[in-house]
Amino acid sequence: MAKDNEKIKEKNVRPPIITIMGHVDHGKTSLLDAIRESSITATETGGITQHTGAYNVIKNGKKLTFIDTPGHEAFTQMRARGGKAADIVILVVAADDGVMPQTKEAIMHAKSAEVPIVVALNKIDLPGANPLKVKKQLADAGILVEGYGGDIVTVEVSATKKIGLENLLEVLTLTAEMNENMLVIDPHADLEAMIIEARHDSKRGILVAAVVKTGNIKLRDDIIAGKSACRVKQLINSDGKAVSFAETGDAVEILGFTSLPEIGDTIRKLNSKSRSDIEAGSEVKTPMQDITSADNEPDQKKKLNLIIRADTSGTLEAIVASLQKITMEDASVDILLGGTGDVKESDILLASTSKAIILAFRIRVPSSVKELAKSQKVIVREHDIIYKLLEEIEGALEGVVEIEEAKIKGRGFVIKIFTLPKSGMMVIGTLIEAGKFKTKDRIGIFREDKDTPLYISRVRSLHLGAKEVEVAHKGDEVGILLKPQIADIKLDDTIEVF
Ligand SMILES: Nc1nc2c(ncn2[C@@H]2O[C@H](COP(=O)(O)OP(=O)(O)OP(=O)(O)O)[C@@H](O)[C@H]2O)c(=O)[nH]1
Ligand SMILES: [Mg+2]
């Protein structure tokens, strides 16, 4: 290995960073496992990747740095960052499934990163594999492969049957060589390492995964990322071994940070200038604090209050972004607090006063905290697969609406007003939003979100089409006759049963 590293140094060219992207389950991690002869997939919960990982591989005397990204739709930010860090993108497309939504998203990230793309048509061993069809789909999605109007190289592979792997590696090394100008570095350049993941480990503290782009990191170095500084306590290479230094091109985990740095930030050596910046600076701002403060506008929706604790900043960010996308007409989530690391007693107390649910994602809930939650009647939901968490919250949001609706006896809004020709009585066409209306119900008429009714009256009769009914339900468009009649009634007024 030392000899390989010598060669790299002589040419002052750093190893290429190759980001693997594609749709969920198309075989990205399996492909990396096959190349590394490792078995990461076997250790993943729910069989999906939920973190970005970086790994070094030495093949044919060349060091390559791979970044594996998750394919599930929730992890857009991780894919975007993986794309930004990349020198080359491998677009993995399952040959039996073709171009799917996150394939298209990956194409967008790769294109915006303006880096060469190599297509790996995976699962070529399956009977349903149809490379020609997929190439055509790729062309339609703007990836013009060889033979389809472009020069993007496609390699047919099978991660599980280990077909085409050497060929893929050869294409990657050739692509790196052809783009060597992007990889030239000043051998004396200072440290620059990109943070790709940061998490709290309940035993070891904060672990920061980074890829060294220039320079090196040694044990006991003083380093800084954003406003988080630390003295390096331990370095772990991508095979999980403790090492004393990491050099250009290495994927490494760093222990020693006392506050969580932001993903995407650059780690540099701490010097006198950055040291005084930290001393002058305020507290470290996490991305979460940005997210919650932006979400504090008041609106009329029912709120499901949430406190989220996740294992890494990356998963936290993905959960928050996905939860904020769940839109219901009448209800939404309000994230009161989000952070990484174990659920704390203070979280339970906050949840208790704010009637929030706590979501614990891939972390421990200490038993003392569980006890406190029980005594405070706080719900703590533990999850380790993102889409299951999202499904549960969607269900809970529907529940919020139902519970609120159950409290309403009957509510509707005015969609039409007309008078009956013979009797001259006014009919109020009302769409019932919640509950029901019965004859003789006492009602109030409300306008423009005011809390006090403008008028109070009673239901004289209810009409569904030509038919007179005793009761009308949610979803019905009912004609209501009031006694006494209210002449001033207007379209969009709300009618509520008391
Ligand atoms: N037959 C066949 N199955 C494959 C191949 N590659 C991967 N698989 C299977 O496809 C499934 C998904 O593989 P993963 O490697 O987890 O896919 P991924 O793209 O990393 O998934 P995410 O990280 O969740 O987006 C697993 O069951 C693999 O065993 C292949 O070449 N042939
Ligand atoms: Mg994966």
Side-chain angles (χ1 to χ4, degrees):
M1 197 197 271
K3 208 161 149 253
D4 292 322
N5 288 339
E6 284 304 302
K7 261 192 224 158
I8 292 160
K9 271 183 201 150
E10 267 167 38
K11 288 170 83 181
N12 297 335
V13 171
R14 66 173 171 79
I17 299 172
I18 302 163
T19 300
I20 310 179
M21 295 209 249
H23 193 72
V24 67
D25 272 354
H26 278 198
K28 298 175 289 299
T29 309
S30 302
L31 194 58
L32 187 57
D33 272 341
I35 293 171
R36 292 180 68 222
E37 292 160 30
S38 60
S39 48
I40 308 162
T41 36
T43 63
E44 290 181 331
T45 329
I48 67 165
T49 303
Q50 306 190 93
H51 297 114
T52 312
Y55 308 89
N56 286 120
V57 176
I58 296 192
K59 286 280 168 185
N60 311 326
K62 298 252 181 200
K63 189 190 277 184
L64 308 167
T65 309
F66 286 95
I67 296 182
D68 183 22
T69 62
H72 188 275
E73 60 174 319
F75 299 107
T76 304
Q77 281 303 325
M78 290 192 199
R79 282 187 291 276
R81 268 192 302 267
K84 268 191 209 139
D87 299 308
I88 301 172
V89 166
I90 305 184
L91 182 66
V92 176
V93 191
D96 64 326
D97 201 23
V99 172
M100 300 301 279
Q102 271 64 52
T103 318
K104 288 189 183 153
E105 194 197 291
I107 292 171
M108 187 194 79
H109 292 310
K111 286 201 164 168
S112 64
E114 294 180 351
V115 293
I117 299 172
V118 173
V119 176
L121 279 183
N122 191 33
K123 307 200 186 187
I124 205 75
D125 58 297
L126 291 178
N130 190 344
L132 294 183
K133 186 171 149 200
V134 180
K135 285 182 189 176
K136 167 86 179 49
Q137 288 176 341
L138 281 167
D140 292 342
I143 293 291
L144 303 177
V145 301
E146 285 172 333
Y148 286 78
D151 57 3
I152 295 177
V153 181
T154 325
V155 186
E156 294 184 7
V157 294
S158 163
T160 45
K161 294 277 181 325
K162 306 215 183 330
I163 302 168
L165 300 178
E166 285 307 317
N167 195 3
L168 176 64
L169 285 166
E170 204 170 304
V171 170
L172 291 172
T173 33
L174 263 174
T175 310
E177 272 168 29
M178 278 160 53
N179 294 278
E180 211 168 71
N181 54 337
M182 294 190 319
L183 306 174
V184 175
I185 49 159
D186 169 2
H188 307 295
D190 293 334
L191 167 69
E192 271 190 23
M194 181 177 177
I195 299 179
I196 56 164
E197 194 55 281
R199 68 189 160 106
H200 274 280
D201 182 285
S202 47
K203 290 201 188 86
R204 293 187 291 175
I206 292 174
L207 273 171
V208 172
V211 175
V212 182
K213 293 191 100 168
T214 58
N216 58 56
I217 313 179
K218 297 187 299 302
L219 283 179
R220 286 179 293 282
D221 274 352
D222 290 314
I223 56 172
I224 178 165
K227 289 200 165 131
S228 310
C230 85
R231 175 158 292 178
V232 178
K233 280 207 283 196
Q234 207 182 343
L235 292 168
I236 302 157
N237 74 8
S238 65
D239 295 326
K241 294 200 181 84
V243 289
S244 54
F245 75 100
E247 60 180 6
T248 309
D250 282 353
V252 67
E253 277 198 303
I254 303 161
L255 259 119
F257 281 96
T258 49
S259 64
L260 210 65
E262 280 191 37
I263 307 173
D265 269 2
T266 302
I267 301 177
R268 298 174 207 280
K269 290 258 162 78
L270 190 62
N271 53 31
S272 49
K273 186 189 173 297
S274 43
R275 206 184 287 269
S276 62
D277 279 355
I278 311 179
E279 277 155 15
S282 56
E283 211 200 323
V284 182
K285 214 176 175 207
T286 68
M288 262 315 298
Q289 282 163 327
D290 285 334
I291 291 163
T292 45
S293 54
D295 190 42
N296 279 346
E297 299 141 26
D299 61 36
Q300 299 300 314
K301 291 184 173 184
K302 305 289 173 294
K303 291 286 185 189
L304 176 64
N305 290 339
L306 297 174
I307 293 172
I308 308 168
R309 290 275 169 203
D311 58 340
T312 74
S313 317
T315 51
L316 176 65
E317 177 189 67
I319 291 168
V320 169
S322 305
L323 286 173
Q324 286 174 338
K325 267 196 240 151
I326 302 178
T327 46
M328 300 237 172
E329 218 176 297
D330 304 323
S332 65
V333 298
D334 200 355
I335 299 163
L336 305 182
L337 180 76
T340 54
D342 294 346
V343 178
K344 299 182 179 67
E345 293 194 350
S346 58
D347 297 337
I348 305 288
L349 300 175
L350 175 63
S352 164
T353 49
S354 56
K355 297 196 173 49
I357 293 177
I358 298 183
L359 297 176
F361 188 71
R362 300 172 69 92
I363 47 154
R364 241 165 37 91
V365 183
S367 52
S368 60
V369 173
K370 275 190 183 156
E371 284 299 311
L372 182 65
K374 222 167 153 188
S375 69
Q376 298 289 320
K377 298 195 172 56
V378 167
I379 299 173
V380 181
R381 298 292 303 146
E382 293 177 63
H383 281 281
D384 51 15
I385 300 178
I386 192 160
Y387 58 80
K388 293 207 171 152
L389 177 150
L390 297 176
E391 275 167 18
E392 182 175 272
I393 296 305
E394 267 185 56
L397 273 179
E398 277 162 14
V400 170
V401 177
E402 277 163 21
I403 291 162
E404 292 293 332
E405 283 188 358
K407 289 188 204 153
I408 300 167
K409 286 189 192 161
R411 188 183 62 207
F413 60 94
V414 180
I415 51 172
K416 206 156 132 192
I417 303 164
F418 57 95
T419 26
L420 293 173
K422 276 191 207 149
S423 60
M425 301 251 283
M426 184 190 276
V427 180
I428 305 158
T430 305
L431 177 63
I432 304 179
E433 284 181 297
K436 56 190 174 194
F437 280 67
K438 299 192 300 299
T439 45
K440 301 207 179 71
D441 271 347
R442 218 160 76 89
I443 59 106
I445 292 170
F446 297 79
R447 193 165 297 162
E448 286 159 3
D449 294 332
K450 298 262 164 44
D451 286 336
T452 41
L454 278 180
Y455 305 101
I456 291 178
S457 182
R458 254 182 215 283
V459 176
R460 176 195 172 109
S461 61
L462 296 165
H463 304 262
L464 288 178
K467 196 167 144 216
E468 189 169 338
V469 293
E470 286 292 308
V471 191
H473 299 92
K474 183 180 169 184
D476 285 344
E477 282 183 30
V478 64
I480 305 178
L481 273 70
L482 294 176
K483 189 182 173 184
Q485 296 196 58
I486 312 289
D488 179 41
I489 203 146
K490 292 202 163 70
L491 288 181
D492 287 333
D493 281 352
T494 299
I495 306 183
E496 206 166 313
V497 177
F498 294 127

